[in-house]
Amino acid sequence: MVHGNCVSIGCFAMTDKNIEKIYALADAALRNGQKFRVHIFPSRMTEKNMKAYHISKWFPFWDNLKEGYDFFEKYREPPNVLVKNNRHLFEKDKNN
């Protein structure tokens, strides 16, 4: 779940102001027949942040996610995401 009130038990919690923005965008898209994808990362995946968290048990997973983060930073559009052999693969969306 994604919700406001900045509290969570396993959900993505954020401020009420931010969830209102997300809700409004999602509602407008769905009402107009659009589909949308949500890409969520554990942090801004800069080189500095990646170095700070390299000792985490999650680092191999995050390192794979960084490929998608870098794709977005380079092309300024969300990639198409596939999963193969327990890895995320990121590529240009063939529909755009």
Side-chain angles (χ1 to χ4, degrees), residues 24-90:
L25 289 169
D27 182 59
L30 293 172
R31 286 181 187 271
N32 287 288
Q34 295 176 313
K35 295 180 181 180
F36 61 92
R37 296 175 283 175
V38 177
H39 295 253
I40 299 171
F41 298 94
S43 67
R44 293 193 187 273
M45 300 187 93
T46 62
E47 294 300 323
K48 181 181 176 183
N49 283 346
M50 294 299 287
K51 286 179 185 175
Y53 297 108
H54 75 278
I55 60 171
S56 170
K57 71 177 184 176
W58 294 103
F59 187 80
F61 176 67
W62 293 342
D63 197 40
N64 180 212
L65 288 184
K66 186 173 185 324
E67 295 171 31
Y69 183 90
D70 291 343
F71 181 102
F72 182 80
E73 291 297 307
K74 180 177 180 178
Y75 297 108
R76 304 313 286 175
E77 66 181 55
N80 190 41
V81 182
L82 306 167
V83 178
K84 186 173 183 180
N85 298 325
N86 293 319
R87 285 190 48 83
H88 291 85
L89 304 174
F90 305 94

